[in-house]
Amino acid sequence: MAPSRYVGLLAFVAASILPSGVLALWPIPTNLETGTTALTVSPSFYFDVQVEGAPADLYEAVDQAQYYLETDQLGRLVVGRGANDTAALASAKTLSCLQLSLTSSATVEPIASEAVKPLGTRSEEYELTIPADGSTATLTANSTLGLYRGLTTFNQLFYYYGGVTYTLLAPIAITDTPAYPFRGLALDTSRNYYPVTDILRTLDAMSWVKINTFHWHITDSQSFPLEVAQYPELAMNGAYSATEVYTESDIQYIVQYAGARGIDVLMEIDTPGHTAIIGATYPDYVACFDATPWATYANEPPAGQLRFALPEVMNFTASLLVDIANTLPSCYISTGGDELNTNCYVNDTLTQMQLNSTNTTLNDALSTFTQTTHNALIATGKTPVVWEEMVLDWNITLSNETIVMVWISSEDALAVVEKGFRIVQVPSNYFYLDCGGGGWLGDYPAGNSWCDPFKTWSEAYTFDPLANLTESQYSLVLGGQQALWSEQSGPQNLDPIVWPRAAASAEIFWSAQPGGTPLNVTEALPRLHDIRYRMVQRGLNPIQLQPQWCALRPDACDLTA
Amino acid sequence: MAPSRYVGLLAFVAASILPSGVLALWPIPTNLETGTTALTVSPSFYFDVQVEGAPADLYEAVDQAQYYLETDQLGRLVVGRGANDTAALASAKTLSCLQLSLTSSATVEPIASEAVKPLGTRSEEYELTIPADGSTATLTANSTLGLYRGLTTFNQLFYYYGGVTYTLLAPIAITDTPAYPFRGLALDTSRNYYPVTDILRTLDAMSWVKINTFHWHITDSQSFPLEVAQYPELAMNGAYSATEVYTESDIQYIVQYAGARGIDVLMEIDTPGHTAIIGATYPDYVACFDATPWATYANEPPAGQLRFALPEVMNFTASLLVDIANTLPSCYISTGGDELNTNCYVNDTLTQMQLNSTNTTLNDALSTFTQTTHNALIATGKTPVVWEEMVLDWNITLSNETIVMVWISSEDALAVVEKGFRIVQVPSNYFYLDCGGGGWLGDYPAGNSWCDPFKTWSEAYTFDPLANLTESQYSLVLGGQQALWSEQSGPQNLDPIVWPRAAASAEIFWSAQPGGTPLNVTEALPRLHDIRYRMVQRGLNPIQLQPQWCALRPDACDLTA
């Protein structure tokens, strides 16, 4: 097998000398060898699962792969969409079977079980071989999750024209392993609500590009759409309506659906800021509740933050977090911690009384609050995740195991890493999908997006996860993700604002091996077009990246063409 | 009836003292008087068409209004969505009938006929009265088109909660007439193709906010999706595929569908620039065809412009335009004329030979070309429409009747008007819906949108159609429109990128009477939320303007709240 640095070169060569647009894999595998022989897929093609005691979700994954193979019907992105391939296909051999098997050392578990193991202990790698002579193709892995990733790649290998599904690149040999263990997508379902079907569709799309974490920012100051059995009033008083709620069974269904697609659900209950709506149920627990002018007390309306200094609020929050965490299989849960506004507490009588009576500072109260909530979570086996302010803006005690998400700027990663924490890269200046949508506050027509301009896929794609870090710090970078904050988004624009852009980070954190060949936007664009058109074929609504004229003519719409 | 300047004040008062969110009309009528009495719509409500010889499209419009009345089921945008209205509704009178009639002087014609009359001669005004006592409501107008506009308003008056459709504002008296005759929406279907169903859905949405012109930028350099009977090769060689074509019957269906909704289809065949794809059929007619580097010859790839100096190209273009114009009922057709790049002709042998042999300049050849094509169109009864460069960048002879679209900047309107031409306002710095989407060229990750930033609805809404003009010039402003250019758009994001933003110009050009009360973004936002949620209810996918928390609490998310 070629060393990994050879791969970028091979991909580049393929894009140059082969019929353009044929190399459609996304994310690009670690090692890829292709030939130049046409091979068609037999109408009676089948997947042969040679896995003793294979779990149900592996069979479901195979059924899904079979469905995509039959229904993708994606024409190659060239003028004519594959009409010129007909001659080559006339004499092509036919592929009839892909055999799936696990390595001898593997333990047979459901995909969903492997998907929620601790970061760094999941096995996602696989090996896929497709001979040119029509003999059985093989897919092997160390886990069912690895087989699932391999099936995803297998589905991306084929085009369709005139009733025939085929590749022009046989034989194909792939070995593939992700560069980073955390490859996520964050979605805010509080500012605006998304029906369950939208989330399921998003999970499907995530799985197509091997994203393995759904960071679910489920609650915020605007609404609390999460049904919690022990605290039903939070959703009753805090959801936008009785139908705009994620019920306990919704959550379980989503978690199971995600797991079967190799996706871990990392839920975030943002505290102690971003919690105004809790005041609709527990007014005594929330300071500056709906106070005006809101801009004095919060980054956006409505104002309102937990009175974290109060023991009863600490206990309530710990209990709430634990109750939620206990319903989720993930090893991780985020307690948020961003944008805490101290003005909210300056004139808050209950907070000031508490601080005075205990001779405590706000900072120390926050530390106690965070230790209380985090220790409760750690006791249930969870590892807490927080936003960067918890380590950069406050002097509080956090477990070394805590994972820190960098969001304000890519420049902040170094400072967090220097404190010894593992990080997830969500830099707003590369990865915020909502930037560039204009200002949304009322009576402010001149207002622009706070994080202008729009982050194009290619801008996101140039993000270097290891920038400014020393080699010894590399291992602290767990991965990263793009994020959709929903002030101006909802089910109506979910697909086009997220896709295919969110595929940019998916490839960075799968394919950009530290020290390997850097990713290249020019090489990537035709492949991104390809996965986008495949997404359309599967019923998603990803935005057009360029005029179709450009999509059919790789490089013709480059700035320098 | 109150004078028109009273209306803005009344609307403002209503938004302040009545239950918030009830005044949901968009665009706001010229004169509006409302009471405070609850009135429910009878389950057996019917429309009584008292129009002798009423045309079929009026009956269809009534059926549509009945359908919306029954299915909109829009809850008021307040916390509880109308749950608190139940008490007031218990004793409310019931409305059973809306009677439609024409004034005695009216000629009975189809809506579609009135909709394509010359600008300034269509009658869109209407009078709508809804008594508070449950007696018959009345809608009168001078034309079926006016009745259609009144039905649109009628549908916006009602909310739904718990099985009851109602208003809290009876009695209601409205007289309404548009401020400007041209209120459009421009869509580019060449850079990317939109299926016919997307265009029909867009026409529906346009009708909901009384937009009366669909400016169809149907062809450009990237694709020629228009089937022309006399020139079938243009689409055969120029459409993205055989299925991405607007056939002659598609065009007729769209025109009829638009007409029945009070919408004139203004088709644009952009010439002599923006025509590269014609070179796929007539290579001799196109200079710098697909020349590289494209940036030398065109604003975007591919390069290629008609060799307008050649007599055979003039004749071909005139013939093509006339053949297309003859299939359309509109009085208007656009010949484009933007972004003509002179570099394309500097080394073009055929053009230079022609100029030399006739001792003609490029400018004079363009004048001859334009006169040839325009005179041919005028002979068929059409009035040509052009982009601003035709009068600002070139010294060519144009009929005084020519309508000029201002697009490069709102600052350019004055210069065009000073030349005596009527204008349509499409300023990119307010009205381009594609701005802010980031750069789309390949190999240019740092590239941003040329017309950054994103134009929010409220920014667009502050546009003053008469800015910099003297009162004597006001009548030259026919109206205006927002525009979607499709380099980065397609069916996948059509709804959310256009709606509800395109409602901004719809209201400006209906409601902003010259010299009347200026429009106000703070007053407008709750109404825009309302029409947006109604659009969602009708199956459109307009983007969220704010978190729903804000939509339910008018003004709470203002910058200054």
Side-chain angles (χ1 to χ4, degrees):
Chain A
M1 191 57 63
S4 73
R5 35 197 345 243
Y6 174 58
V7 176
L9 182 63
L10 181 69
F12 182 77
V13 168
S16 306
I17 63 168
L18 289 173
S20 55
V22 288
L23 192 69
L25 300 174
W26 193 283
I28 194 79
T30 318
N31 295 289
L32 168 67
E33 293 178 4
T34 56
T36 56
T37 303
L39 181 68
T40 65
V41 176
S42 168
S44 58
F45 178 90
Y46 69 104
F47 292 87
D48 176 18
V49 181
Q50 289 288 334
V51 176
E52 182 103 7
D57 60 9
L58 181 60
Y59 284 110
E60 288 161 20
V62 163
D63 288 347
Q64 184 72 69
Q66 181 89 45
Y67 177 79
Y68 289 147
L69 194 65
E70 290 170 5
T71 59
D72 272 2
Q73 303 196 348
L74 178 66
R76 287 208 297 124
L77 287 181
V78 292
V79 176
R81 303 302 295 272
N84 295 338
D85 301 339
T86 311
L89 299 180
S91 57
K93 303 281 188 186
T94 297
L95 178 66
S96 296
C97 178
L98 174 68
Q99 188 181 81
L100 287 72
S101 60
L102 291 176
T103 53
S104 55
S105 60
T107 313
V108 180
E109 290 183 280
I111 297 167
S113 302
E114 187 75 16
V116 298
K117 288 183 178 173
L119 291 165
T121 69
R122 303 171 200 164
S123 174
E124 299 191 85
E125 67 267 29
Y126 65 92
E127 187 164 343
L128 175 63
T129 307
I130 300 178
D133 64 358
S135 59
T136 294
T138 59
L139 171 61
T140 59
N142 296 323
S143 75
T144 54
L145 179 59
L147 291 177
Y148 181 76
R149 300 294 179 223
L151 287 172
T152 301
T153 300
F154 182 77
N155 275 130
Q156 291 179 3
L157 291 171
F158 301 101
Y159 293 100
Y160 176 92
Y161 188 85
V164 181
T165 300
Y166 64 96
T167 175
L168 298 177
L169 299 182
I172 299 171
I174 294 172
T175 60
D176 200 9
T177 187
Y180 295 85
F182 184 110
R183 306 177 308 280
L185 176 68
L187 178 67
D188 157 22
T189 64
S190 172
R191 272 61 173 249
N192 283 303
Y193 177 84
Y194 298 79
V196 171
T197 51
D198 290 308
I199 292 176
L200 300 181
R201 190 178 66 256
T202 302
L203 291 167
D204 278 324
M206 290 162 64
S207 75
W208 300 336
V209 292
K210 302 187 174 76
I211 291 175
N212 72 358
T213 306
F214 175 43
H215 174 183
W216 193 352
H217 183 91
I218 193 168
T219 64
D220 208 293
S221 277
Q222 286 81 3
S223 80
F224 198 104
L226 172 62
E227 183 185 80
V228 184
Q230 297 86 344
Y231 298 94
E233 299 85 357
L234 288 173
M236 283 166 58
N237 302 320
Y240 283 136
S241 72
T243 58
E244 290 165 297
V245 169
Y246 303 105
T247 66
E248 290 195 286
S249 65
D250 288 339
I251 301 289
Q252 292 311 308
Y253 188 77
I254 287 168
V255 165
Q256 168 271 322
Y257 194 93
R261 282 152 186 79
I263 298 168
D264 187 17
V265 177
L266 166 60
M267 195 172 279
E268 176 186 357
I269 308 296
D270 202 351
T271 61
H274 291 273
T275 46
I277 201 70
I278 291 176
T281 301
Y282 300 103
D284 292 348
Y285 292 179
V286 173
C288 68
F289 179 54
D290 217 357
T292 56
W294 60 262
T296 302
Y297 305 105
N299 279 28
E300 62 184 50
Q305 301 181 155
L306 288 174
R307 289 185 165 115
F308 58 80
L310 274 55
E312 61 269 36
V313 174
M314 292 188 204
N315 294 336
F316 158 77
T317 308
S319 172
L320 174 67
L321 289 168
V322 165
D323 288 341
I324 294 167
N326 279 336
T327 68
L328 301 167
S330 179
C331 300
Y332 307 95
I333 187 165
S334 172
T335 63
D338 56 318
E339 298 185 317
L340 192 55
N341 188 314
T342 55
N343 290 334
C344 178
Y345 303 108
V346 171
N347 294 314
D348 184 56
T349 309
L350 289 177
T351 296
Q352 294 304 327
M353 279 175 56
Q354 178 67 25
L355 296 179
N356 291 336
S357 70
T358 55
N359 197 23
T360 306
T361 64
L362 197 67
N363 181 85
D364 291 347
L366 181 64
S367 190
T368 305
F369 170 85
T370 306
Q371 285 177 272
T372 303
T373 54
H374 281 201
N375 287 342
L377 290 168
I378 291 166
T380 72
K382 307 292 185 185
T383 298
V385 179
V386 298
W387 293 110
E388 63 173 273
E389 291 98 315
M390 288 287 99
V391 299
L392 296 184
D393 291 0
W394 299 88
N395 180 20
I396 66 178
T397 302
L398 285 174
S399 158
N400 290 337
E401 292 299 305
T402 309
I403 295 169
V404 180
M405 290 194 171
V406 175
W407 73 275
I408 295 174
S409 166
S410 54
E411 297 297 312
D412 296 345
L414 178 61
V416 178
V417 164
E418 283 180 340
K419 290 176 183 283
F421 291 102
R422 295 177 296 168
I423 66 169
V424 170
Q425 301 270 23
V426 204
S428 58
N429 51 329
Y430 287 89
F431 283 173
Y432 271 26
L433 297 166
D434 54 314
C435 297
W440 56 267
L441 293 170
D443 75 350
Y444 190 36
N448 290 325
S449 170
W450 74 269
C451 52
D452 256 341
F454 185 86
K455 312 307 173 203
T456 60
W457 80 269
S458 54
E459 175 72 11
Y461 194 75
T462 62
F463 177 71
D464 176 0
L466 305 175
N468 307 323
L469 305 186
T470 61
E471 206 163 327
S472 65
Q473 295 168 327
Y474 287 0
S475 64
L476 292 174
V477 180
L478 293 174
Q481 60 182 355
Q482 285 161 280
L484 180 61
W485 305 100
S486 296
E487 285 85 352
Q488 296 161 292
S489 287
Q492 291 79 24
N493 70 321
L494 175 61
D495 285 6
I497 202 166
V498 171
W499 303 108
R501 281 194 295 156
S505 61
E507 178 150 293
I508 291 171
F509 295 106
W510 183 282
S511 307
Q513 299 287 348
T517 313
L519 301 177
N520 178 297
V521 291
T522 308
E523 183 279 324
L525 177 54
R527 287 187 295 108
L528 188 60
H529 272 304
D530 205 283
I531 188 71
R532 181 206 160 270
Y533 276 80
R534 194 175 291 274
M535 287 172 165
V536 171
Q537 197 69 18
R538 292 181 184 178
L540 202 75
N541 283 312
I543 201 168
Q544 284 279 11
L545 301 172
Q546 294 186 320
Q548 185 160 306
W549 190 91
C550 307
L552 299 179
R553 295 166 180 83
D555 304 329
C557 295
D558 286 0
L559 176 67
T560 53
Chain B
M1 193 58 64
S4 74
R5 36 198 343 244
Y6 174 59
V7 176
L9 180 63
L10 181 69
F12 183 77
V13 169
S16 304
I17 63 168
L18 289 174
S20 56
V22 287
L23 192 69
L25 301 174
W26 194 283
I28 194 79
T30 319
N31 294 290
L32 168 67
E33 293 178 4
T34 57
T36 57
T37 303
L39 180 68
T40 65
V41 176
S42 167
S44 58
F45 177 91
Y46 69 105
F47 293 87
D48 177 17
V49 181
Q50 290 290 333
V51 177
E52 182 102 8
D57 60 9
L58 180 60
Y59 284 110
E60 288 161 20
V62 163
D63 288 348
Q64 183 72 68
Q66 181 89 44
Y67 177 79
Y68 289 147
L69 192 65
E70 290 170 4
T71 58
D72 271 3
Q73 302 195 352
L74 178 66
R76 288 208 296 125
L77 287 182
V78 292
V79 176
R81 303 302 295 272
N84 294 339
D85 300 339
T86 311
L89 299 180
S91 58
K93 303 283 188 186
T94 297
L95 178 66
S96 296
C97 179
L98 174 69
Q99 188 182 80
L100 288 72
S101 60
L102 291 176
T103 53
S104 56
S105 60
T107 312
V108 180
E109 289 182 281
I111 297 168
S113 301
E114 187 75 16
V116 298
K117 288 182 177 174
L119 291 165
T121 70
R122 302 171 201 164
S123 174
E124 298 191 85
E125 67 267 29
Y126 65 92
E127 188 165 342
L128 176 63
T129 306
I130 301 177
D133 64 358
S135 59
T136 295
T138 59
L139 172 61
T140 59
N142 296 321
S143 74
T144 53
L145 178 60
L147 292 176
Y148 181 75
R149 300 295 179 223
L151 287 171
T152 301
T153 300
F154 183 77
N155 275 130
Q156 290 180 3
L157 291 171
F158 301 101
Y159 292 100
Y160 176 92
Y161 188 84
V164 181
T165 300
Y166 65 97
T167 175
L168 298 177
L169 298 184
I172 298 171
I174 294 171
T175 60
D176 201 10
T177 187
Y180 294 85
F182 185 110
R183 306 177 308 280
L185 176 67
L187 179 67
D188 157 22
T189 63
S190 172
R191 272 61 174 249
N192 282 303
Y193 177 85
Y194 298 81
V196 171
T197 51
D198 290 307
I199 292 176
L200 300 180
R201 190 178 66 256
T202 302
L203 291 167
D204 277 325
M206 290 162 63
S207 76
W208 300 337
V209 292
K210 301 188 175 75
I211 292 175
N212 72 357
T213 306
F214 175 44
H215 173 183
W216 194 352
H217 183 91
I218 193 168
T219 64
D220 209 294
S221 277
Q222 286 81 3
S223 79
F224 198 103
L226 173 62
E227 182 184 81
V228 183
Q230 298 85 344
Y231 298 94
E233 299 87 356
L234 288 173
M236 282 165 58
N237 302 320
Y240 282 136
S241 71
T243 58
E244 290 165 297
V245 169
Y246 303 106
T247 66
E248 290 195 286
S249 66
D250 289 338
I251 300 290
Q252 292 311 308
Y253 189 78
I254 287 168
V255 165
Q256 168 271 322
Y257 194 93
R261 282 152 185 80
I263 298 168
D264 186 18
V265 177
L266 165 61
M267 195 172 279
E268 177 186 357
I269 309 296
D270 203 351
T271 60
H274 290 273
T275 46
I277 202 70
I278 292 177
T281 301
Y282 301 102
D284 291 348
Y285 291 179
V286 173
C288 68
F289 179 54
D290 217 356
T292 56
W294 60 262
T296 301
Y297 305 104
N299 279 28
E300 62 184 50
Q305 301 181 152
L306 288 174
R307 289 185 164 115
F308 58 80
L310 276 54
E312 62 269 36
V313 174
M314 292 188 203
N315 294 335
F316 158 77
T317 308
S319 171
L320 174 67
L321 289 168
V322 165
D323 288 340
I324 293 167
N326 280 335
T327 67
L328 302 167
S330 180
C331 300
Y332 306 96
I333 187 165
S334 172
T335 63
D338 57 317
E339 298 185 318
L340 192 55
N341 188 314
T342 55
N343 290 336
C344 178
Y345 303 109
V346 171
N347 295 313
D348 183 55
T349 309
L350 289 178
T351 295
Q352 294 304 327
M353 278 174 57
Q354 177 67 24
L355 296 179
N356 290 336
S357 68
T358 55
N359 197 23
T360 307
T361 65
L362 196 68
N363 181 85
D364 291 347
L366 181 63
S367 190
T368 304
F369 171 85
T370 306
Q371 284 177 272
T372 302
T373 54
H374 280 202
N375 286 342
L377 290 167
I378 291 166
T380 72
K382 307 293 183 183
T383 298
V385 179
V386 298
W387 293 109
E388 63 172 274
E389 291 98 314
M390 288 287 99
V391 298
L392 296 184
D393 291 0
W394 299 88
N395 180 21
I396 66 178
T397 302
L398 284 174
S399 158
N400 290 336
E401 292 300 304
T402 308
I403 295 170
V404 179
M405 290 194 170
V406 175
W407 73 275
I408 296 174
S409 166
S410 54
E411 297 297 312
D412 295 346
L414 178 61
V416 178
V417 164
E418 282 180 339
K419 291 175 183 282
F421 291 102
R422 295 177 296 168
I423 67 168
V424 170
Q425 299 271 23
V426 205
S428 58
N429 51 329
Y430 287 88
F431 283 173
Y432 270 26
L433 297 166
D434 54 314
C435 297
W440 56 267
L441 293 169
D443 75 350
Y444 190 37
N448 289 326
S449 170
W450 73 269
C451 53
D452 256 341
F454 185 86
K455 312 307 173 203
T456 60
W457 79 269
S458 54
E459 175 73 11
Y461 194 75
T462 62
F463 176 70
D464 176 0
L466 305 175
N468 307 323
L469 306 187
T470 62
E471 207 163 326
S472 65
Q473 295 169 326
Y474 287 0
S475 64
L476 292 175
V477 181
L478 293 174
Q481 60 182 356
Q482 286 160 280
L484 180 62
W485 304 100
S486 296
E487 285 86 352
Q488 295 162 293
S489 287
Q492 292 79 23
N493 70 321
L494 174 61
D495 285 6
I497 202 167
V498 170
W499 302 109
R501 282 194 294 155
S505 61
E507 178 150 293
I508 291 172
F509 295 106
W510 182 282
S511 307
Q513 298 287 349
T517 312
L519 300 177
N520 178 297
V521 292
T522 307
E523 183 279 323
L525 177 54
R527 288 187 295 109
L528 188 60
H529 272 304
D530 205 283
I531 188 71
R532 181 207 161 270
Y533 277 79
R534 195 175 291 274
M535 287 172 166
V536 171
Q537 198 68 18
R538 293 181 183 177
L540 202 76
N541 283 312
I543 201 168
Q544 285 278 11
L545 300 172
Q546 294 186 320
Q548 185 160 307
W549 190 91
C550 307
L552 299 179
R553 294 166 180 83
D555 305 328
C557 294
D558 285 359
L559 175 67
T560 54

